[in-house]
Amino acid sequence: MYAPVSQNNALAATLVLIATAFIAATTLMAKSLGTGGFGPPLHALQISHGRFLFAFAGLSAAALLLRPKLMRPHWKLHIARTSFGWAGVTLMFAAVAFIPLADATAISFLNPVFAMMLAIPMLGEKVGRVRWSAAVLAMIGALVLLRPTPDSFQPAALLALGAAMIMGMELIFIKKLAGRENPFQILLVNNMIGLCIATVAMLPVWQPPTGAQWALLAGIGLCMAVAQTCFVNAMARADASFVAPFSYGTLIFAAFYDLIFFRVTPDTVTVLGAFIIITGAIWLALREARIKKPAPRPHTAV
């Protein structure tokens, strides 16, 4: 049993916003690597390998310094969770090379909607009309972002949609892992397994990165490690229903980075689709908070 940390909503909100800035930065760097901004374009499989390689390196260094108490991992759950997480991240990195960061980020926010749908057969959860209405609203937003007309349809947006579906499956296994192990251990094991999967997957497409590309790959991994640590600490200090709305700050940062570095301005369709998705996702998050009984958190910050 882990000692809970004191509740601090202001600190939790700050940590989540910091996490969103770093998460958006990872997609920015992935876009730069996938579009050839710093050398020959790298394959999404190689980019996701760099993400896990340097995240694991950063977390391993932290483990040597902090020496956290570790226990025997639940390997089956970790492998399942990480397999879906790796696939989702890889598809997301592939998507941002072809469509605006804001579009890909907004579509990725569908993952809790897909998790809700998957929870019916996998967790035996019951879904009422309100939750289905929130899910349908979010899906309408995704349809808007897909721009389903012959002149404006973005096939690459389907990659982001696939990423959201797969990351929804990852959320199912995250729920199954919740409370079983120390959060730091979960991050460490997740990135270790992810590195193994990503290494095997990227071998057929490997090409020597330039010095700048190595720096960006390291940046992706370290930014993701920082983001995950901030998010875990935020969840330990506030209710999920309070934290969830702040996580949508990723979209703001993604749109800002796209504007500054790629001169891409969000159009009306992007703003409308993102607004609809976020409205549905927040509605779903609030509904989830109402139907769940409060329980003490069995973990501490890292």
Side-chain angles (χ1 to χ4, degrees):
M1 190 73 169
Y2 304 106
V5 298
S6 58
Q7 300 297 282
N8 188 327
N9 284 350
L11 178 57
T14 301
L15 288 171
V16 173
L17 289 175
I18 292 172
T20 62
F22 279 101
I23 290 172
T26 65
T27 57
L28 168 68
M29 289 184 279
K31 187 180 183 80
S32 298
L33 290 167
T35 55
F38 293 87
L42 296 184
H43 196 283
L45 290 171
Q46 188 168 350
I47 298 173
S48 64
H49 171 262
R51 171 255 181 270
F52 282 102
L53 171 64
F54 289 102
F56 179 66
L59 289 168
S60 296
L64 291 175
L65 292 174
L66 301 175
R67 297 188 178 279
K69 184 178 180 180
L70 302 178
M71 56 192 293
R72 183 177 180 181
H74 194 298
W75 289 110
K76 288 184 178 180
L77 287 180
H78 276 292
I79 292 172
R81 176 262 171 105
T82 304
S83 297
F84 286 109
W86 163 80
V89 165
T90 302
L91 283 177
M92 186 67 175
F93 286 166
V96 297
F98 301 102
I99 63 175
L101 292 178
D103 284 18
T105 302
I107 293 173
S108 73
F109 288 148
L110 287 171
N111 61 17
V113 175
F114 288 117
M116 182 206 78
M117 297 176 182
L118 291 166
I120 299 172
M122 297 190 67
L123 300 178
E125 293 185 3
K126 295 182 179 180
V127 178
R129 284 180 292 181
V130 174
R131 294 165 78 187
W132 274 119
S133 298
V136 170
L137 182 62
M139 293 300 293
I140 291 173
L143 186 62
V144 171
L145 287 177
L146 288 174
R147 295 169 168 84
T149 64
D151 295 331
S152 59
F153 176 64
Q154 301 181 100
L158 295 175
L159 294 173
L161 186 62
M165 293 177 65
I166 292 173
M167 287 189 284
M169 180 65 82
E170 181 190 17
L171 285 177
I172 296 296
F173 289 99
I174 289 176
K175 285 185 178 182
K176 290 185 176 184
L177 270 171
R180 289 174 178 261
E181 300 172 21
N182 183 299
F184 184 84
Q185 175 174 309
I186 292 175
L187 292 180
L188 187 65
V189 174
N190 166 245
N191 283 280
M192 178 186 70
I193 297 173
L195 176 58
C196 295
I197 296 172
T199 299
V200 174
M202 69 87 190
L203 289 177
V205 299
W206 166 264
Q207 64 183 59
T210 65
Q213 288 175 330
W214 273 119
L216 287 175
L217 289 170
I220 289 174
L222 295 177
C223 280
M224 186 56 71
V226 172
Q228 289 177 321
T229 301
C230 287
F231 192 76
V232 166
N233 277 276
M235 291 295 290
R237 289 174 168 82
D239 293 333
S241 58
F242 175 82
V243 168
F246 292 96
S247 66
Y248 297 107
T250 306
L251 180 59
I252 297 173
F253 285 109
F256 176 72
Y257 295 157
D258 226 1
L259 176 63
I260 296 299
F261 294 98
F262 295 101
R263 299 292 187 265
V264 176
T265 304
D267 59 16
T268 304
V269 174
T270 295
V271 174
L272 176 61
F275 175 77
I276 295 173
I277 288 177
I278 291 176
T279 300
I282 291 178
W283 186 10
L284 180 61
L286 293 175
R287 179 62 178 173
E288 294 288 333
R290 289 194 189 102
I291 64 177
K292 287 181 180 178
K293 295 180 180 179
R297 295 179 185 82
H299 58 264
T300 184
V302 294

